Amino acid sequence: MNNELHQLEFLRQHAKQASEKAYVPYSQFPVGAALLMKSGEVISGCNVENVSYGLSNCAERTAVFSAVAQGYDARDISAVVVYTPGDKAYAPCGACRQVLAEFLATGTPIVSTSERQMRQWAIEDLLPDAFEFDVNAYRKPL
Amino acid sequence: MNNELHQLEFLRQHAKQASEKAYVPYSQFPVGAALLMKSGEVISGCNVENVSYGLSNCAERTAVFSAVAQGYDARDISAVVVYTPGDKAYAPCGACRQVLAEFLATGTPIVSTSERQMRQWAIEDLLPDAFEFDVNAYRKPL
Amino acid sequence: MNNELHQLEFLRQHAKQASEKAYVPYSQFPVGAALLMKSGEVISGCNVENVSYGLSNCAERTAVFSAVAQGYDARDISAVVVYTPGDKAYAPCGACRQVLAEFLATGTPIVSTSERQMRQWAIEDLLPDAFEFDVNAYRKPL
Amino acid sequence: MNNELHQLEFLRQHAKQASEKAYVPYSQFPVGAALLMKSGEVISGCNVENVSYGLSNCAERTAVFSAVAQGYDARDISAVVVYTPGDKAYAPCGACRQVLAEFLATGTPIVSTSERQMRQWAIEDLLPDAFEFDVNAYRKPL
């Protein structure tokens, strides 16, 4: 238990440091995320906005995309910790939930933290009845 | 009750017709959506894919964006019906849930249909603890 | 020529009216778009933003998605006119250029207008050497 | 000159290795990207697709988002090299062009490579008349 608390604070610090690197000239709302990989490595992400708002990317997705680019496979993530400054701990947006659902095993903890609050879910709490389809079900043969 | 069934089938037919207009050369997975507006009007959408997969748009979002462009306000939607061919009724993806959450009142029915199945939710079932933030909370004064 | 000017002003008015329907609580930057279809019909779009900035959609894409949902095929668009209030006429973002490239024939005029400025391009000016790939080139057989 | 060729091949190898990590169950089209930072560090990215196609992310954007999360600032990128297997060297999509435009200085080389082809641009070639707007121009005071 004590170890778990230490680990959570360790990941929260990573997420907080990542939030300081956020590129948020449009929202001025910095977010950081830290993924604990099964290997023990921590991979961080921050939000990166764009003048065309729809091309902005959230912290959680930056971290997942980075993990894949570093060679991690689906199901290699053992915890996700998000940090935002201020009082309120925010839940991931729907786009991030869908991207996390592509990679997270059921039950993997997703923890949101701030300076004052902590909230925790699993992906099946955040995206119940997740959209999934068999890519081959509708494909016509070549 | 009977009226509700008639209305659902009416909306399902709109969604089915919209699915026939889907532009899906990449997934070959056509989806249609129909929004019943409080005015009684029905606004339809289909998925529109792109060679750069990330620029693809789902049926539900096409319908919502069209409704806004036709002058509807947030909270003007009284039901959402989705259709996909085949046996299985699919739940909306996380991106669509977030876009629906921006406009739907709590409790608004979201119904997914196919040739054999029907499933129903409210937005708070599909996107519990939705991400929301006060746009002014982090903004620095001009 | 005179007819062309009349038609451009007619489309600009459609785009301007669409911009008044924009849902832009985050950027406060309303944009409207009008597509002239080969059938003579005009289809309009506006930008629709989201609290998760990355799920925002631009006016040009709203209009294209609506056109497809109304049954139009690729290559049915004969002109695109965009409107933003104020002095400056803005060029479409990269995401909209890619979506337009999926549907516009070479040479189709894309005109951006404001209260004081007008700029015109073809899609091949805005997205030179467009990304295109043969969806079947990399697919493994079922 | 010789040094430049060595460096390009070095970056191409990084991009190629990144492409081997691509998560592409839907398109089966792997892409890798390598950014040469002014510090000399190389940051790689690959495409990461999603069952909801619109949530897919390209290799170039994965690399840019990772660079920002690692603390790099706008304008810290001195070259972008993309790799795809096969004969043809592909140009970046419009979404990637817009994201690169947010960070790249004018003239920064963007090189696309394959097993047989090489193509080179600057961002102003790929996204002429880039969309840019002053975020404060339309904002109402708090």
Side-chain angles (χ1 to χ4, degrees):
Chain A
M1 178 60 110
N2 220 14
N3 273 352
E4 276 180 28
L5 275 176
H6 273 301
Q7 192 176 55
L8 175 58
E9 182 53 26
F10 171 77
L11 292 169
R12 186 177 163 279
Q13 287 303 323
H14 272 271
K16 184 174 180 172
Q17 284 162 25
S19 76
E20 290 159 12
K21 295 163 182 164
Y23 175 79
V24 291
Y26 310 109
S27 72
Q28 303 172 4
F29 176 59
V31 185
L35 307 180
L36 179 63
M37 309 309 293
K38 285 180 183 158
S39 66
E41 193 182 358
V42 177
I43 294 180
S44 299
C46 59
N47 48 345
V48 181
E49 297 183 349
N50 191 274
V51 64
S52 177
Y53 281 25
L55 295 173
S56 300
N57 200 55
C58 300
E60 297 91 324
R61 282 182 280 165
T62 294
V64 170
F65 298 150
S66 296
V68 174
Q70 291 177 38
Y72 285 102
D73 278 329
R75 315 287 175 236
D76 280 340
I77 301 168
S78 61
V80 180
V81 177
V82 180
Y83 170 86
T84 44
D87 290 352
K88 189 174 165 186
Y90 289 89
C93 83
C96 288
R97 295 178 191 198
Q98 186 72 49
V99 169
L100 288 167
E102 188 98 18
F103 292 106
L104 291 188
T106 301
T108 309
I110 300 169
V111 185
S112 177
T113 69
S114 65
E115 286 305 320
R116 286 173 179 264
Q117 207 182 356
M118 200 193 86
R119 303 164 77 190
Q120 183 171 336
W121 310 266
I123 187 62
E124 64 271 24
D125 302 325
L126 289 176
L127 200 72
D129 293 327
F131 170 66
E132 289 177 340
F133 89 112
D134 175 1
V135 68
N136 288 325
Y138 289 82
R139 267 177 56 188
K140 296 174 194 84
L142 290 176
Chain B
M1 178 59 110
N2 221 16
N3 273 352
E4 276 181 27
L5 275 176
H6 273 300
Q7 192 175 57
L8 175 59
E9 183 52 25
F10 171 77
L11 292 169
R12 184 177 163 280
Q13 288 303 325
H14 272 272
K16 184 173 180 173
Q17 284 162 23
S19 77
E20 289 158 13
K21 295 164 182 166
Y23 176 78
V24 291
Y26 309 109
S27 73
Q28 302 173 3
F29 177 60
V31 185
L35 308 180
L36 179 63
M37 308 310 293
K38 284 177 184 163
S39 65
E41 193 182 359
V42 177
I43 294 179
S44 299
C46 60
N47 48 345
V48 182
E49 298 183 349
N50 191 275
V51 64
S52 177
Y53 280 26
L55 295 174
S56 299
N57 199 55
C58 299
E60 296 92 323
R61 282 181 279 163
T62 293
V64 170
F65 298 150
S66 295
V68 175
Q70 290 177 38
Y72 286 102
D73 278 328
R75 315 285 175 238
D76 279 340
I77 301 169
S78 62
V80 180
V81 176
V82 180
Y83 170 87
T84 44
D87 290 352
K88 190 175 165 184
Y90 290 89
C93 84
C96 289
R97 295 179 190 197
Q98 186 72 49
V99 169
L100 288 167
E102 189 97 17
F103 293 105
L104 291 188
T106 302
T108 310
I110 300 169
V111 185
S112 177
T113 69
S114 65
E115 287 304 322
R116 286 174 180 263
Q117 208 182 355
M118 202 195 85
R119 304 163 76 189
Q120 184 172 337
W121 310 267
I123 188 61
E124 64 270 25
D125 302 324
L126 290 175
L127 201 72
D129 293 328
F131 171 66
E132 290 177 340
F133 89 112
D134 175 0
V135 68
N136 288 326
Y138 289 82
R139 268 177 56 189
K140 295 173 195 84
L142 291 176
Chain C
M1 178 60 109
N2 221 14
N3 273 350
E4 275 181 28
L5 275 176
H6 272 300
Q7 191 176 57
L8 175 59
E9 183 52 26
F10 171 76
L11 293 169
R12 185 178 164 279
Q13 287 303 324
H14 272 271
K16 183 173 181 173
Q17 283 162 24
S19 77
E20 288 158 13
K21 295 164 182 166
Y23 176 79
V24 291
Y26 309 110
S27 72
Q28 301 170 4
F29 177 61
V31 185
L35 307 180
L36 178 65
M37 309 309 292
K38 285 177 183 162
S39 65
E41 194 181 0
V42 177
I43 294 180
S44 299
C46 59
N47 49 344
V48 182
E49 297 183 349
N50 190 275
V51 64
S52 177
Y53 280 25
L55 295 173
S56 300
N57 200 54
C58 300
E60 295 92 323
R61 282 181 279 164
T62 293
V64 170
F65 298 151
S66 296
V68 175
Q70 290 176 39
Y72 285 103
D73 279 327
R75 316 284 175 240
D76 279 341
I77 301 168
S78 61
V80 180
V81 176
V82 180
Y83 170 87
T84 44
D87 290 352
K88 190 176 164 184
Y90 290 89
C93 84
C96 289
R97 295 178 190 197
Q98 186 72 50
V99 169
L100 288 167
E102 189 97 18
F103 293 105
L104 290 189
T106 301
T108 310
I110 300 169
V111 185
S112 178
T113 68
S114 66
E115 286 304 321
R116 285 174 180 263
Q117 207 182 357
M118 200 194 86
R119 302 164 77 189
Q120 182 171 338
W121 311 267
I123 188 60
E124 65 270 24
D125 302 325
L126 290 176
L127 200 72
D129 293 328
F131 170 65
E132 289 178 339
F133 90 112
D134 174 1
V135 69
N136 288 325
Y138 289 82
R139 268 178 56 189
K140 295 173 196 86
L142 291 175
Chain D
M1 178 59 109
N2 221 15
N3 272 352
E4 275 181 29
L5 274 176
H6 272 301
Q7 192 176 56
L8 175 59
E9 183 52 26
F10 170 77
L11 292 169
R12 186 177 162 280
Q13 287 302 324
H14 272 272
K16 184 174 181 172
Q17 283 162 25
S19 77
E20 290 159 12
K21 294 164 182 164
Y23 176 79
V24 290
Y26 309 109
S27 72
Q28 303 171 5
F29 177 61
V31 185
L35 307 180
L36 179 64
M37 309 308 294
K38 285 178 183 160
S39 66
E41 193 182 359
V42 177
I43 294 180
S44 299
C46 59
N47 48 345
V48 182
E49 298 183 348
N50 192 274
V51 65
S52 177
Y53 281 25
L55 295 173
S56 299
N57 199 56
C58 299
E60 296 90 326
R61 282 181 280 164
T62 294
V64 169
F65 298 151
S66 295
V68 175
Q70 291 177 38
Y72 285 103
D73 278 328
R75 317 283 175 239
D76 279 341
I77 301 169
S78 60
V80 180
V81 176
V82 180
Y83 170 86
T84 43
D87 290 353
K88 189 174 164 185
Y90 290 89
C93 83
C96 289
R97 295 178 191 198
Q98 186 72 50
V99 170
L100 287 167
E102 189 97 18
F103 293 106
L104 291 188
T106 301
T108 310
I110 300 170
V111 185
S112 177
T113 69
S114 65
E115 286 304 321
R116 284 174 182 264
Q117 207 183 356
M118 201 193 86
R119 301 164 77 190
Q120 182 171 337
W121 311 266
I123 187 61
E124 64 271 25
D125 302 325
L126 290 176
L127 201 72
D129 293 328
F131 170 66
E132 290 177 338
F133 89 112
D134 175 0
V135 69
N136 288 326
Y138 289 82
R139 269 177 54 190
K140 295 173 195 86
L142 291 177

